[in-house]
Amino acid sequence: MRRRTLLSLPALGSLAWLWAACAPSPEEVPPVPEGASEPQRVTYGSDPSQFAELGLPAGTPRGVAVVVHGGFWRAEYGIEYAQPLVPSLLAAGWATWAVEYRRVGSGSGGGGGVPETLDDLVAAMQRLAEEGIDGPVVAIGHSAGGHLATWLASRRDLPQPLTHVVSQAGVLDLVAAHDAGLGGGAVEAFLGRPPREGDVEVDPVAQVPLAVPVWCVHGTGDDIVPISQSESYVAAATAAGATAQLVEVEGDHFAVVDPGSEAWARTLEILEEI
């Protein structure tokens, strides 16, 4: 696989090359299962990046899977990172709401950061509520999307709040991520300042305990977002009385969003338990 080949190189010129290596080409996105609808674009704002893609399974949905892509909140990385996961979620009976949002940087998708990116996630969820889909609302977020999905669970004022979160290699402790230089200064670029201890408005580890269960699925070979991010979040959450579980899987940072991997199969197993 192209992603595996490039990740085996001893060094890459920049983090952008590493993420670009993972971007799925159209033939790598599995087909929508028979009876399910092709995802349709739904706008929730006037900016080109303010949209989501709604997919409906065959039959009555068991709930909604809100899929939030990663990419260190940067404009270079978009919804194409979420799209390959949609067919298997539809096959499992879930409606899908794959969210695009404003990200940090110039060009298409620029103008994000705090508060714009967070505002977009809230607006996307408000628009989802208008679809009137019953059942659990589970956010599945990868990397920076794990941060956004877990942050979103703290918003209990939404018309259709989250009921569960699956964070996949999530950036859940912004201070530790900043101190470790994850994403080449991505946290400071996202916040517009260095993070602070107790950043309750933006940092998931400072928001515990949440009212919903959180599964932190993380590859043991992840060298982009280390598994310590999930370990420290689960430790803080359970100490505060929340329901949170670390789910270790084999593989690197991208294994958890590879629809053909055992790591992604583990996420589907978690959804089956809901």
Side-chain angles (χ1 to χ4, degrees), residues 135-232:
V137 184
V138 185
I140 304 169
H142 175 239
S143 196
H147 163 267
L148 295 173
T150 310
W151 173 87
L152 194 59
S154 71
R155 294 294 300 262
R156 308 314 295 167
D157 57 337
L158 298 174
Q160 194 171 13
L162 296 180
T163 61
H164 306 76
V165 173
V166 179
S167 168
Q168 302 175 295
V171 184
L172 303 179
D173 183 337
L174 297 187
V175 172
H178 175 71
D179 290 347
L182 301 190
V187 172
E188 184 168 354
F190 172 61
L191 297 179
R193 59 167 174 79
R196 300 185 289 259
E197 295 288 346
D199 255 338
V200 178
E201 297 301 316
V202 294
D203 195 350
V205 79
Q207 294 174 331
V208 299
L210 294 179
V212 304
V214 178
W215 289 265
C216 293
V217 182
H218 216 122
T220 54
D222 193 332
D223 58 359
I224 294 177
V225 177
I227 197 170
S228 58
Q229 281 281 312
S230 289
E231 291 171 337
S232 62

Side-chain angles (χ1 to χ4, degrees), residues 113-158:
V114 174
E116 291 84 2
T117 298
L118 303 180
D119 291 344
D120 283 358
L121 267 293
V122 170
M125 294 302 294
Q126 291 170 334
R127 180 62 184 83
L128 171 62
E130 297 176 22
E131 297 295 327
I133 302 171
D134 294 329
V137 184
V138 185
I140 304 169
H142 175 239
S143 196
H147 163 267
L148 295 173
T150 310
W151 173 87
L152 194 59
S154 71
R155 294 294 300 262
R156 308 314 295 167
D157 57 337
L158 298 174

Side-chain angles (χ1 to χ4, degrees), residues 60-132:
T60 302
R62 63 188 300 173
V64 184
V66 178
V67 188
V68 189
H69 73 81
F72 283 120
W73 311 279
R74 289 187 171 122
E76 300 97 302
Y77 317 112
I79 199 170
E80 65 272 11
Y81 290 94
Q83 291 165 335
L85 305 180
V86 166
S88 57
L89 292 168
L90 293 173
W94 293 88
T96 57
W97 185 247
V99 181
E100 187 58 284
Y101 50 89
R102 288 174 289 176
R103 285 98 65 208
V104 176
S106 60
S108 176
V114 174
E116 291 84 2
T117 298
L118 303 180
D119 291 344
D120 283 358
L121 267 293
V122 170
M125 294 302 294
Q126 291 170 334
R127 180 62 184 83
L128 171 62
E130 297 176 22
E131 297 295 327

